[in-house]
Amino acid sequence: MKKIILALAVLAAVVCPVFAGESWIGVTTGPAFEISKEGDADAYTDFNWDVNVEGAYYFNEAETIGIGAKLGLGFNYATSLDIPANMENPASGTRLAPAVTFQYRLGLTDALDLRMGAGLQYVHVFMNGYPKEIYGYKVELAQDNLEIVANADVVYSIGDFQVFGGIDLGVSVLCHLTTTVMGHSEGEFITDGFQMSITPRIGVSYAF
């Protein structure tokens, strides 16, 4: 019986790497620098910390071209704007960001890869309790962005696991702002603004 179990274990160790693919799922994190400008106002920068669950599935035989998905959560910790910190709602400025991308993998060596991707990302910014009042009533804001995103990462493999580092870039192509005062909401599209995010990040992933 022990010999059979040992033989099966050896067979699994030999066969599993043959069937292992390059598709992957992982977690990334890093500081995000979001540069914004609206109309004639001066540009300002929001500083966020992003945590993402993401992955890619390669569907061609060479496992180089695939589709990626990401769900990100960003926490705002500072801004260059001259506004007071929101002590009532420290979660104000939190970002929820799902994305879909096309992915390309380039094998540099047996252990080193280059992952690149581009696609679309939707970002919802929670700004409830914004520290601003109109006629004594607190204003609540929410912002929705549609962004073109791109990423490039250098990946080092250790068996089925990988560690990697790279950069994410995002440029908003559509921005909608919702303002709520006394339960009444009004929305408007911001057409005279510009918003770009730069996020250096590190991550770990598992290939399957």
Side-chain angles (χ1 to χ4, degrees):
M1 185 65 179
K2 290 182 179 180
K3 291 182 179 180
I4 295 175
I5 294 175
L6 180 61
L8 291 175
V10 171
L11 180 62
V14 172
V15 172
C16 285
V18 175
F19 289 99
E22 297 297 340
S23 299
W24 58 274
I25 185 169
V27 178
T28 63
T29 188
F33 307 94
E34 187 176 87
I35 304 166
S36 303
K37 189 179 189 310
E38 183 179 348
D40 296 330
D42 293 335
Y44 65 93
T45 303
D46 279 333
F47 304 94
N48 310 304
W49 193 271
D50 287 355
V51 179
N52 310 292
V53 177
E54 56 186 284
Y57 176 76
Y58 299 99
F59 44 75
N60 69 325
E61 187 174 350
E63 294 187 298
T64 57
I65 299 174
I67 189 166
K70 179 175 73 171
L71 180 61
L73 195 62
F75 304 93
N76 181 259
Y77 61 86
T79 180
S80 64
L81 286 173
D82 186 21
I83 59 174
N86 189 347
M87 303 306 294
E88 295 182 8
N89 186 7
S92 180
T94 300
R95 289 156 165 76
L96 183 65
V100 176
T101 60
F102 288 102
Q103 291 287 319
Y104 176 74
R105 184 185 70 87
L106 176 63
L108 302 177
T109 68
D110 289 342
L112 201 62
D113 289 348
L114 179 63
R115 294 176 184 162
M116 297 176 287
L120 293 176
Q121 177 171 265
Y122 164 74
V123 181
H124 179 77
V125 185
F126 299 90
M127 295 188 291
N128 291 340
Y130 186 73
K132 179 180 179 182
E133 294 186 353
I134 297 179
Y135 301 118
Y137 297 102
K138 185 169 291 186
V139 178
E140 294 183 353
L141 303 176
Q143 185 172 310
D144 298 280
N145 294 343
L146 182 65
E147 298 182 346
I148 296 175
V149 292
N151 71 279
D153 300 295
V154 176
V155 185
Y156 182 77
S157 298
I158 308 170
D160 290 338
F161 291 90
Q162 302 86 39
V163 292
F164 59 95
I167 191 168
D168 264 2
L169 299 175
V171 177
S172 292
V173 293
L174 192 64
C175 181
H176 185 266
L177 184 67
T178 302
T179 304
T180 302
V181 182
M182 295 181 62
H184 177 70
S185 298
E186 290 186 0
E188 62 175 331
F189 286 97
I190 300 176
T191 57
D192 58 349
F194 172 78
Q195 194 170 75
M196 179 179 71
S197 63
I198 303 171
T199 310
R201 84 257 187 79
I202 58 174
V204 294
S205 61
Y206 173 76
F208 58 90

